[in-house]
Amino acid sequence: MGGAQGWVSCFLFLMKNKFADLLPGRVSTEPEDLVCYGFDASGLEAAPSAVAWPHSLEDVVEIMNFARSNRIPVIPRGAGTGMTGGSVPDRSSVVVSMERMNRVLGIDRDNMTVLVEPGVINGHLQRELERFRLFYPPDPASMNFCTIGGNVAENAGGPRALKYGVTRDYVLGLEAVLPDGSVIKTGVKTAKGVVGYDLTRLLTGSEGTLAVITKILLRVLPMPEEVITLMALFKDLEQSGNAVTAILAYGIIPRTLEFMDGEAVRAVENFSPVGLPTDVEAILLIELDGDPVVIRKEAERISSICSHHQGEIIMAEDEEARQKIWEARRAISPALYHLKPAKINEDIVVPRTKIPSMLKKLRELSEESGIMIVCFGHAGDGNIHVNIMADKENKPEYEKALGLVKEVFRMTLDLGGTISGEHGVGLTKKDYIGMEISPVEMDLMKKIKNVFDPLNILNPGKIFP
Ligand code: MLT
Ligand code: ZN
């Protein structure tokens, strides 16, 4: 038997026998499980050799010890909603799904913290906290499916990031298992803490490449008193971008300032209609929260700014109307996948004042290339989801679309932006990170990876080209 082939057989033998014996009932090598745990929302897929579902810290330690002794790559996974292939294997490996470690371990109302296991679903946590009049702001579009562990690994954002920041702004401390099987506890339980390097921040957003997170202590906030939801409809794309800049320049920070272009609106109305007007070129979805008197005044000011930019304002009448609008917003990505299953979705960020020029450049790029580009996203943050609507079956078109990705990144960086605001690097962006990160910084990052994981067994092949 040849070297590589022999190694694969030996690997599969180890998985089916020794690894399965290690955690009875918590490991599978059944083909249907391997298929189900081999993809994420990036559209990439590659089946692992085994899937493990740890129930406890001790299970994770066992898995890491076994993986280290046998040099088996481990891929931590939340709910598989990531958009850059972070939980998709790129070689024979074990996917470690954290979904069964899904308990909310304690809500401390007085200290405004919550301790959770990584498999807790974001939306479930939000609802649990509501019962105590508490609020956890990060709200990725997949909040009803994605896990807090995945959110921490990817440093997830969401519409409310404009006012409240992203996941890392809420992570106080972590418990995690290192690739050598040792357990670390990072961070503090207190509002402040500056002892030593900030390992909590280092692990947050490390895309599962440095440690497997087993517990998360989050900071939470009091529930805002009232929320107002507005939609501003525009017949002109650039005017919507100008309105975004004007609202923020006026000094109002809404909790969301979301943007969808006309194509995104039409796609979502065709996919799961909620009654959004389809004869528009852009919609802004603006939400304010806080003191009722203050936010009513802000809503009036926003209405007049939008009117000044030829926008028409509609206010959501009640909670049902609000929920419908948000359902539509969260359905944009699925609606676009429905149209073009191989669409390329980027999440670039430009300084918010550059939004109008970025939107103009993207429109020009679409016209020149003949490939539809649909844009939506978190306009208040300057974070635009650029969806290049190419067909994989049409090879020349797909090749051209891949070329456009590089062009979009170049335009973004020229405007002082970054190539990823919330989806991370994973597999899909690793060939591009050299456009943004200098060789010196890249080398430093690789050395950090090597300190944590000298055998390169934790989510190998991700982030670095
Ligand atoms: C969103 O804002 O809807 C998510 O980041 C997902 C996406 O970009 O498609
Ligand atoms: Zn987003």
Side-chain angles (χ1 to χ4, degrees), residues 83 141 258 329-330 333 343 345-346 376-378 385 387 422-423:
M83 310 211 73
E258 294 285 296
R329 164 61 185 87
R330 292 189 190 114
S333 223
K343 73 160 173 125
N345 176 16
E346 300 303 343
F376 69 96
H378 319 290
H385 295 309
N387 287 261
E422 44 181 30
H423 299 165

Side-chain angles (χ1 to χ4, degrees), residues 312-327:
E312 181 199 335
I313 284 275
I314 299 176
M315 190 187 289
E317 296 282 315
D318 51 25
E319 187 55 27
E320 201 190 330
R322 272 195 66 224
Q323 289 309 334
K324 268 193 162 180
I325 296 173
W326 280 107
E327 260 168 45

Side-chain angles (χ1 to χ4, degrees), residues 261-271 277-281:
D261 73 10
E263 294 304 338
V265 175
R266 289 182 275 281
V268 88
E269 274 299 311
N270 280 330
F271 180 68
T278 50
D279 58 340
V280 292
E281 277 315 300

